[in-house]
Amino acid sequence: MTRKYKVLFLCRENSARSIMAEALLRELAGHRFEAFSAGPEPALRIHPLTVAQLRPGVSDLGVLCPKSWLEFTGEWAPRMDLVVALDASVAPPHAPAFPGDPELSAWHFADPLADGISESERVRLFQKVFWQIVRQLSAFIEAPQDALLSRATSARGARPRAPANLPNL
């Protein structure tokens, strides 16, 4: 049996981008990866537009919830292989030290929760970011198993097709 790579996605509030990445990686390649997400200022709940984006193609939304990144810094925390910052506010050197010295990467996406966005623009931005994350994860998943960690940051420009089990928005 091959061990699963542990991947932690970071975003400030852990209610949108990082939750999407966690849920999508678990759904698309849960047989190869254990996915987690967290942030320094976790929201009280997942943003409703995040749930709306995930609901059609993600089978287990019930396991998702915003978490503090401190849950992943203690001796008891799972040892990550890769930590991915999804915005500049959580990228090194802002992020804490995670046990096991995981590889750090940055996949920056626009913040769909940014101030000054109309509700219709916000809905469109959630859709756009969702599909950007799908493309990024698809390239990451398609990388050879032994090269996944070393190529984590180079997949950004790849344009693989979206997996069939996700909705076309």
Side-chain angles (χ1 to χ4, degrees), residues 8-18 37-44 65-73 83-96 98:
L8 174 62
F9 296 100
L10 301 178
C11 211
R12 188 175 39 108
E13 293 181 2
N14 188 219
S15 68
R17 293 167 288 181
S18 53
S37 67
E41 303 168 19
L44 295 176
C65 67
K67 295 167 287 306
S68 171
W69 61 11
L70 296 178
E71 292 183 30
F72 297 92
T73 61
V83 175
V84 181
L86 299 178
D87 69 57
S89 72
V90 296
H94 306 294
F98 294 98

Side-chain angles (χ1 to χ4, degrees), residues 51-72:
V51 174
Q53 284 300 130
L54 293 172
R55 185 173 317 242
V58 174
S59 58
D60 194 3
L61 294 175
V63 300
L64 301 171
C65 67
K67 295 167 287 306
S68 171
W69 61 11
L70 296 178
E71 292 183 30
F72 297 92

Side-chain angles (χ1 to χ4, degrees), residues 24-143:
L24 288 166
L25 184 58
R26 186 178 292 130
E27 188 73 23
L28 298 173
H31 62 288
R32 290 178 52 202
F33 298 95
E34 286 186 61
F36 306 88
S37 67
E41 303 168 19
L44 295 176
R45 61 186 173 93
I46 297 171
H47 194 279
L49 290 174
T50 302
V51 174
Q53 284 300 130
L54 293 172
R55 185 173 317 242
V58 174
S59 58
D60 194 3
L61 294 175
V63 300
L64 301 171
C65 67
K67 295 167 287 306
S68 171
W69 61 11
L70 296 178
E71 292 183 30
F72 297 92
T73 61
E75 289 180 25
W76 61 90
R79 300 298 190 251
M80 296 298 145
D81 296 296
L82 177 64
V83 175
V84 181
L86 299 178
D87 69 57
S89 72
V90 296
H94 306 294
F98 294 98
D101 195 29
E103 183 171 332
L104 304 175
S105 185
W107 299 349
H108 294 263
F109 301 103
D111 184 0
L113 300 175
D115 293 332
I117 300 175
S118 72
E119 198 56 31
S120 62
E121 288 175 297
R122 189 173 314 282
V123 169
R124 282 192 299 277
L125 187 54
F126 261 90
Q127 291 173 347
K128 179 181 177 180
V129 168
F130 173 86
W131 286 109
Q132 288 173 337
I133 292 171
V134 167
R135 284 191 301 272
Q136 180 71 32
L137 286 172
S138 295
F140 177 71
I141 291 164
E142 290 173 8

